[in-house]
Amino acid sequence: MRYPQGGGLTDAERAGRERVRLQAVACFEAGEKNREVAAALRVSEWSVERWRRQWREDGLTGVASKGSPGRPRLSDMQIVRLARELELGPLAHGWADQRWTLARVKTMIGRLFHVSYTVEGTWRLLRRHGWSWQQPARRAIERDDDAVELWKREVWPRVRAPRR
């Protein structure tokens, strides 16, 4: 399943978070307590304590944004191709069933783009680009949905014990 919002932080969101940390520094300089700062900025006390420690150790550079976590290994064109290949399904790539596993996606990325990811890195890549894990529906092949509905409608009310 794809999520329209994708994943990760945009540059604007990263800058917004940095503004909050800089507001916290102004509160630290004014001598406010962690609880007061957390309430004013609507963040956890744990975050405020971590920011205060970073500020004490490294000054403003300690709370400044570190920027994007890293250069993506796959280009935008490669991500588009990856999405197309995932939509084709595992059968098209030589696997015996229709289940994408992280290990299979990792292997496919290696084959297509000659880039190595860990299984966890593959999960992060997929999640960042709006893909989620899927749980297959486990139903018997011989299941008759019409017979199930008929049973629920006619038999179950007669079998069910009345409420006291």
Side-chain angles (χ1 to χ4, degrees), residues 84-98 100 108 111:
R84 277 197 319 263
E85 298 295 334
L86 287 171
E87 288 169 0
L88 290 175
L91 286 174
H93 293 280
W95 281 284
D97 60 12
Q98 277 294 88
W100 276 122
M108 185 184 69
R111 288 178 186 166

Side-chain angles (χ1 to χ4, degrees), residues 56-75:
R56 267 194 235 118
E57 292 172 2
D58 300 321
L60 285 178
T61 58
V63 294
S65 174
K66 308 293 189 275
S68 179
R71 179 184 63 80
R73 292 186 193 173
L74 297 181
S75 69

Side-chain angles (χ1 to χ4, degrees), residues 148-162:
V148 170
E149 285 304 314
L150 178 70
W151 187 90
K152 282 182 186 177
R153 205 173 44 248
E154 295 181 8
V155 178
W156 176 241
R158 288 182 282 149
V159 174
R160 177 175 71 183

